[in-house]
Amino acid sequence: AEFVGRAPATDVGVLRMPAVGRSLPFVPLGNSGEVRVGQLVVAIGNPLGYASSVSAGVVSALGRSLRSQSGRLVDNIIQTDTAINPGNSGGPLVTSQGAAIGMNTAIIQGSQGIAFAVPSNTITFVVSQILRFGHVKRGYFGIYGAARPVQRALQVRLGLKLPTVVQVAGLVPEGPAHRAGIEPGDILCAADDQPIGSMDDLYRVLSSRPPTQPLRVRVVRDLKPMELTVQVEEEKRLLGGGGTMPQRQRLQPPEAFRPASTGNFQFW
């Protein structure tokens, strides 16, 4: 098989099979948007080396979020109670009609009946991007940041929709955010009219838009709100080399903003 591309953020890869002179068996992809909680599903894989094993269960929940090994958040994850073990990863999660509505990807160690699958609609989008471009096109903003809780009085005064905001701790030199005029210490509270309370919120906005489309953001500097437009760039600038990672700074929370509860800054 020929390697075509992969998307570590969603645990999806694409291989091209050479022609063998006959049709190869395949599993049709279903519409994960039509899946319902309680629906019967079957997980197929090679758990612990036992080939072609099948386990049955139900869809326990929909719309879960799961942190991938790359650090990115994958949304709309399917939770199931099917028995999944090491070796099941990459195998299909199918309905009783035989349509694959997900790809088994993770379990919670030490738990029973808590497993997760990447939905088929996400797989369809990722595969189409890989086949067309060789990778998934996503925009990048060019900042390090962390969530900051906001005092209720200031939240009302500034019209913030969430109790947290993102404080910028570092910028890519000459990156999109830097060129737009964003500075270390600025507070990011909205992007594309969507409230931003964490770096994951910013990533969701970037992932849902064309990667080079200008992005309107609302920033608070010295307790004064301002509107800026960021010309988002394609993420490959960093992944392909030539990009410069920003220097993180130790920042004191601005007045009326509590210190961050975690020291883990994220980069998007």
Side-chain angles (χ1 to χ4, degrees):
E2 174 190 355
F3 173 75
V4 178
R6 64 191 181 99
T10 49
D11 203 22
V12 175
V14 177
L15 298 176
R16 180 177 289 116
M17 301 294 294
V20 294
R22 60 182 176 83
S23 298
L24 295 175
F26 64 93
V27 177
L29 282 178
N31 181 2
S32 58
E34 297 178 351
V35 175
R36 296 293 179 263
V37 173
Q39 182 173 337
L40 296 176
V41 288
V42 174
I44 304 174
N46 305 320
L48 304 175
Y50 292 95
S52 303
S53 296
V54 173
S55 59
V58 299
V59 173
S60 304
L62 298 169
R64 298 296 196 202
S65 295
L66 187 68
R67 185 81 57 189
S68 68
Q69 291 185 348
S70 68
R72 297 297 174 88
L73 200 68
V74 185
D75 286 321
N76 297 318
I77 290 290
I78 299 171
Q79 180 183 331
T80 174
D81 69 348
T82 53
I84 292 179
N85 295 280
N88 275 112
S89 295
L93 184 70
V94 303
T95 65
S96 55
Q97 287 77 37
I101 47 88
M103 180 186 69
N104 306 317
T105 189
I107 59 174
I108 295 180
Q109 292 289 348
S111 68
Q112 292 185 352
I114 302 180
F116 304 97
V118 178
S120 58
N121 289 358
T122 297
I123 295 172
T124 299
F125 168 75
V126 170
V127 169
S128 66
Q129 290 272 299
I130 292 175
L131 292 177
R132 184 176 180 183
F133 306 110
H135 63 280
V136 178
K137 284 193 169 187
R138 289 191 176 94
Y140 91 97
F141 200 74
I143 66 169
Y144 267 112
R148 297 281 193 191
V150 184
Q151 292 181 6
R152 177 60 182 170
L154 184 62
Q155 182 183 350
V156 173
R157 173 183 166 187
L158 296 177
L160 304 180
K161 297 181 180 179
L162 298 177
T164 60
V165 291
V166 169
Q167 184 180 18
V168 178
L171 296 158
V172 173
E174 297 304 319
H178 182 265
R179 291 197 303 270
I182 294 176
E183 300 177 359
D186 282 353
I187 298 299
L188 180 65
C189 55
D192 200 21
D193 295 326
Q194 300 296 316
I196 301 297
S198 68
M199 291 295 283
D200 290 330
D201 291 339
L202 177 60
Y203 175 65
R204 289 189 182 99
V205 172
L206 292 174
S207 298
S208 64
R209 315 169 71 258
T212 58
Q213 184 176 338
L215 177 65
R216 292 187 299 107
V217 297
R218 188 182 184 211
V219 173
V220 177
R221 183 182 300 163
D222 299 326
L223 298 184
K224 298 177 181 179
M226 55 193 302
E227 299 279 342
L228 297 173
T229 299
V230 179
Q231 181 60 54
V232 178
E233 295 183 3
E234 192 178 336
E235 193 178 38
K236 68 180 181 180
R237 170 174 172 172
L238 288 180
L239 299 180
T244 304
M245 296 297 287
Q247 294 295 318
R248 287 177 286 180
Q249 303 180 16
R250 284 188 171 274
L251 297 174
Q252 295 298 320
E255 180 185 353
F257 289 83
R258 302 187 185 95
S261 58
T262 174
N264 295 326
F265 288 91
Q266 294 176 296
F267 170 71
W268 298 142

